Amino acid sequence: MEIRDVVLRPSYTSRGDETIEATVQVGSASATVTAPAGASTGETEVVHLPKGGFNTVIVNFDKSKLIGVDASDLKAVYEGLVKIGGSDRFEKIGGATAFSVSVASLVAEALASGRKIFSLIGLEPTIPYPLGNVLGGGKHAGPGSPDIQEFLASPVGAKNAFEAITLNILVHKEVRKEIEKKDPTFAGGKGDEGAWAAKLTDEEAFDIVRRAIDKVSKEHGVRIIMGVDMASSTLYENGVYNYARKGKKLTREEQLSYVEKIINDYDLKYVEDPFNEDDFESFAELTRSVKALIVGDDLYTTNYERLKKGAQIKAGNGVILKINQVGTVYQAKLFAELAHKNGYAVITSHRSGDVCEGYLADIAVGMGSALMKSGVVGGERISKLIRLARINEQEANIPLWRSTV
Ligand code: PGA
Ligand code: ZN
């Protein structure tokens, strides 16, 4: 159905970053969607907002290029936004505007036509397991917290999404108890994604999360895998990985051995961004040497051309999909399609600054994702998790992802 109107407003993410809210009217329905924003962003991501922020966006946003466009045609919406944004990098309006308008068009089309949001994407849907951030450091927490950005859990043995969400919440609670055993003065601080932010070394953090996961997994008889997002580009300086809080610098070779060691020592099944964002070769080498999901976030930035390059040498076996890294649902869909074709697991992800809307779940299902990455607690995280559980309850025919690790 045709887009009849688009209205933009300034808004904020959970972290207080300036962002864009779009209301798109399709037929007699309308939907409002707000863009999230990252902090540990990849070099090749599109810019969040142009210089001047909302004021620049509103001057540049010529909505006549979208009026009359068929909202069910993802490519047509993308093309309209490219005309307005100046190029497929959307430099005149930012990825935040491209995201909010393109997702709002999809949601409004679903409401107007009575179809499901995930089915409008046009890929084979899957119910992903939640991948939850339970303990954090790096750019999402303050000094004294671990160098590694995120310690993650995913109950891939759960019988449904709701059970998996519940188990991740239990792991999150258990991690707090373990931190308090180590540091009775722990004040309960959390990072941007609701993960505990404590004064811990990486090794202490690994021990704590491993113990918490093992306890919950054993008590409930459900397999829960452990993972990390190393966000290594944020550690990389002058050719070495600088673990500033630990006071250690690792060369590429030392980083490779270190990652292999933590995978073995802590039985990690998911490792995101273990190397700097341009080091495709090291991703490929690690993927050959271990049995775990090796996932590119800053490496790929949801960018089709980068994945085409990386897939040739099998750099990683999983990709993070964040629509606002690239702009629109259409571009993300092409990226997901290429990932599936090359045997990569798709992990659809929130951003560290996010909003209290649940559409990430609809998108994760529609992109055929293995995992949906988000925080475990906080309104902007719970909204996505509960939405995932409801889709799972309503769509008995859509299978849950079957773990390959
Ligand atoms: P971001 O980080 O949303 O701050 O970019 C999340 C991640 O690195 O996965
Ligand atoms: Zn990441």
Side-chain angles (χ1 to χ4, degrees):
M1 268 182 239
E2 283 187 7
I3 294 179
R4 293 174 58 184
D5 198 14
V6 182
V7 177
L8 303 182
R9 295 178 205 89
S11 188
Y12 291 106
T13 70
S14 56
R15 191 172 36 220
D17 316 301
E18 188 184 353
T19 192
I20 302 290
E21 173 190 289
T23 299
V24 176
Q25 193 184 345
V26 173
S28 57
S30 82
T32 297
V33 170
T34 314
S40 77
T41 49
E43 279 293 316
T44 50
E45 287 191 31
V46 298
V47 62
H48 176 60
L49 284 173
K51 204 159 169 257
F54 179 74
N55 292 334
T56 307
V57 171
I58 211 72
V59 168
N60 290 338
F61 197 81
D62 173 9
K63 69 177 169 190
S64 70
K65 303 269 189 306
L66 281 167
I67 307 298
V69 167
D70 178 0
S72 72
D73 184 344
L74 302 182
K75 190 175 181 198
V77 174
Y78 155 76
E79 285 168 349
L81 282 163
V82 166
K83 280 186 206 146
I84 301 168
S87 77
D88 65 356
R89 305 288 300 168
F90 308 107
E91 59 275 6
K92 287 163 71 180
I93 56 171
T97 309
F99 172 99
S100 55
V101 173
S102 103
V103 178
S105 308
L106 187 75
V107 176
E109 170 66 24
L111 289 170
S113 65
R115 293 181 61 195
K116 301 291 168 76
I117 298 168
F118 64 78
S119 73
L120 293 172
I121 294 176
L123 299 178
E124 195 64 45
T126 325
I127 304 292
Y129 281 100
L131 173 68
N133 184 3
V134 293
L135 182 61
K139 280 217 166 178
H140 295 168
S145 64
D147 283 301
I148 291 177
Q149 182 176 284
E150 297 166 28
F151 295 81
L152 303 153
S154 187
V156 296
K159 59 181 180 302
N160 57 47
F162 194 81
E163 184 185 45
I165 291 159
T166 306
L167 292 169
N168 264 355
I169 289 174
L170 293 175
V171 172
H172 187 264
K173 288 185 198 295
E174 196 56 40
V175 166
R176 179 181 187 148
K177 286 190 205 152
E178 288 286 340
I179 296 170
E180 284 171 343
K181 275 191 218 159
K182 173 119 216 11
D183 175 10
T185 65
F186 179 55
K190 293 188 203 134
D192 292 339
E193 299 181 355
W196 300 114
K199 225 174 163 68
L200 296 170
T201 65
D202 288 334
E203 276 60 37
E204 288 167 340
F206 275 123
D207 284 335
I208 283 175
V209 176
R210 186 71 263 170
R211 270 203 300 278
I213 286 179
D214 288 348
K215 181 159 187 259
V216 174
S217 172
K218 197 161 165 233
E219 273 175 18
H220 295 265
V222 176
R223 181 165 183 249
I224 305 175
I225 58 171
M226 177 168 164
V228 281
D229 181 359
M230 301 187 73
S232 295
S233 297
T234 65
L235 303 174
Y236 197 67
E237 285 169 16
N238 307 319
V240 289
Y241 294 90
N242 185 9
Y243 291 76
R245 298 162 192 196
K246 199 168 5 198
K248 252 193 168 166
K249 289 187 177 155
L250 303 185
T251 63
R252 184 207 84 95
E253 288 68 27
E254 288 166 343
Q255 173 78 353
L256 177 63
S257 317
Y258 176 60
V259 179
E260 286 171 342
K261 181 173 160 39
I262 55 176
I263 289 173
N264 287 323
D265 288 358
Y266 301 102
D267 193 22
L268 303 181
K269 296 294 183 198
Y270 177 101
V271 181
E272 184 176 325
D273 283 348
F275 302 100
N276 185 42
E277 61 203 330
D278 279 324
D279 193 354
F280 289 86
E281 268 305 329
S282 295
F283 271 81
E285 205 173 329
L286 179 66
T287 308
R288 287 192 295 271
S289 80
V290 295
K291 188 170 169 6
L293 285 172
I294 304 300
V295 178
D297 173 12
D298 294 344
L299 178 74
Y300 289 125
T301 58
T302 319
N303 181 302
Y304 185 91
E305 292 304 324
R306 287 181 75 84
L307 180 56
K308 215 163 126 188
K309 177 178 168 189
Q312 282 169 8
I313 60 163
K314 294 194 164 40
N317 50 17
V319 292
I320 285 281
L321 182 152
K322 293 170 172 166
I323 291 181
N324 74 328
Q325 283 183 326
V326 63
T328 62
V329 178
Y330 176 67
Q331 292 157 292
K333 174 201 169 163
L334 295 184
F335 177 80
E337 213 165 21
L338 182 65
H340 290 308
K341 219 178 274 168
N342 285 281
Y344 280 68
V346 172
I347 296 99
T348 296
S349 171
H350 70 162
R351 300 307 303 251
S352 51
D354 219 303
V355 298
C356 288
E357 294 165 10
Y359 301 121
L360 186 78
D362 301 79
I363 288 161
V365 171
M367 294 288 178
S369 310
L371 302 169
M372 181 179 90
K373 189 181 178 208
S374 85
V376 174
V377 294
E380 73 281 10
R381 318 294 159 183
I382 292 286
S383 55
K384 296 161 177 58
L385 292 165
I386 297 301
R387 176 82 195 127
L388 178 65
R390 299 300 174 244
I391 297 173
N392 185 202
E393 288 156 13
Q394 288 158 9
E395 306 294 333
N397 296 329
I398 304 181
L400 274 155
W401 180 61
R402 286 195 29 205
S403 178
T404 52
V405 288

